[in-house]
Amino acid sequence: MIRIEPEPWAAMVAHARASYPNECCGAMLGAAEGDTKTVRQAIALENAFEGAQAARYELRPEDLLAADKAARERHMNLIGIYHSHPDCDAYFSATDLRNSCPWYSFVVLSIQKGEFHHANCFLPNVDQTEAPKEELIY
Amino acid sequence: MAKILIPTPLRQFTAKRDSVNVPGATVGEVLAALTTEFPDLRKQIFNDEGKLRSFVNVYLNDEDIRYLGKDATPAADSDTVSLVPSIAGGAAN
Ligand SMILES: [Zn+2]
């Protein structure tokens, strides 16, 4: 189960709306106690995908390294990644799965006509063959 | 003994430690020592052929070892090794 506190949640939704009609992406910092995760801070990261970003995103490893460093300095943990699906539902696509990392929770925000619509969270497996849903509270 | 920073979700395999010091003259030796000490980590980092998984990048301090000497990159005691994921995606299948 992953719970996103109101402040980071508002930041994530604002980031996703501001990036519309393109996809946005970012990192989620917080605490993890076993399978219970709490997101306390969201860090907006640049979508580094070269090409049309309406249906693609890419994170720079350097930016993830910096996010992990920031988390350690703030006595938090890097626990998840978020990205948006403009005018699409919040599913975990084949592209998402193929480019995923099983270490993190993946929150997908559906933005329809520029407004937040719904969100889901996924936990991809190590072989990148499936990504079951993780309970998401926001 | 280079220091390896352990990503949060992998600390379940390292007795909850957020960093581990292991011996090794190169990054390859350091990673081998890490996964020998904590065998459950191996599957998270290496595939069945013993190669780094496609989503794993290894950084020595702030540099991707792919642009240094790869596995043979020398690792000194003062160096920090980080495991950094490659992550991308998109709504398009
Ligand atoms: Zn996606």
Side-chain angles (χ1 to χ4, degrees):
Chain A
M1 186 267 281
I2 182 164
R3 190 173 63 81
I4 305 179
E5 290 187 341
E7 199 175 315
W9 178 250
M12 288 161 60
V13 170
H15 184 205
R17 291 180 64 212
S19 304
Y20 181 89
N22 288 336
E23 295 200 3
C24 75
C25 50
M28 300 184 292
L29 313 187
E33 198 64 57
D35 290 336
T36 304
K37 302 160 195 168
T38 306
V39 176
R40 303 227 161 89
Q41 192 168 15
I43 299 183
L45 298 174
E46 190 185 336
N47 182 347
F49 183 75
E50 291 182 7
Q53 297 183 347
R56 289 300 303 268
Y57 82 97
E58 186 174 333
L59 287 164
R60 281 195 199 90
E62 290 78 10
D63 291 342
L64 287 173
L65 183 61
D68 185 69
K69 205 174 273 186
R72 287 169 188 265
E73 282 166 7
R74 295 165 197 175
H75 302 289
M76 288 192 280
N77 300 300
L78 174 59
I79 53 179
I81 303 298
Y82 71 90
H83 74 279
S84 61
H85 281 184
D87 295 323
C88 288
D89 287 338
Y91 50 80
F92 209 62
S93 72
T95 307
D96 288 333
L97 188 56
R98 195 164 57 238
N99 297 283
S100 64
C101 171
W103 307 341
Y104 296 104
S105 296
F106 283 76
V107 170
V108 182
L109 296 92
S110 168
I111 304 294
Q112 314 251 359
K113 298 191 176 112
E115 297 300 327
F116 172 74
H117 195 270
H118 65 281
N120 285 306
C121 188
F122 302 90
L123 287 170
N125 67 349
V126 74
D127 293 316
Q128 299 176 316
T129 51
E130 56 179 9
K133 267 190 187 175
E134 181 176 31
E135 189 190 350
L136 169 67
I137 299 169
Y138 55 83
Chain B
M1 299 281 270
K3 178 159 96 170
I4 305 186
L5 298 181
I6 308 298
T8 304
L10 300 187
R11 291 174 200 162
Q12 59 182 300
F13 307 117
T14 58
K16 296 197 172 171
R17 288 157 68 183
D18 63 2
S19 70
V20 177
N21 290 285
V22 291
T26 64
V27 172
E29 288 177 15
V30 165
L31 291 177
L34 175 73
T35 51
T36 300
E37 188 170 346
F38 302 104
D40 292 341
L41 262 185
R42 187 184 302 272
K43 188 175 150 61
Q44 300 291 326
I45 300 172
F46 296 107
N47 63 19
D48 293 340
E49 287 95 60
K51 294 213 173 81
L52 280 175
R53 288 192 179 271
S54 60
F55 55 79
V56 180
N57 302 292
V58 179
Y59 276 64
L60 184 76
N61 305 316
D62 291 323
E63 294 266 6
D64 189 331
I65 63 160
R66 208 172 288 142
Y67 307 113
L68 300 171
K70 299 183 179 156
D71 277 0
T73 305
D77 286 359
S78 55
D79 286 329
T80 300
V81 175
S82 300
L83 303 168
V84 186
S86 278
I87 293 173
N93 278 306

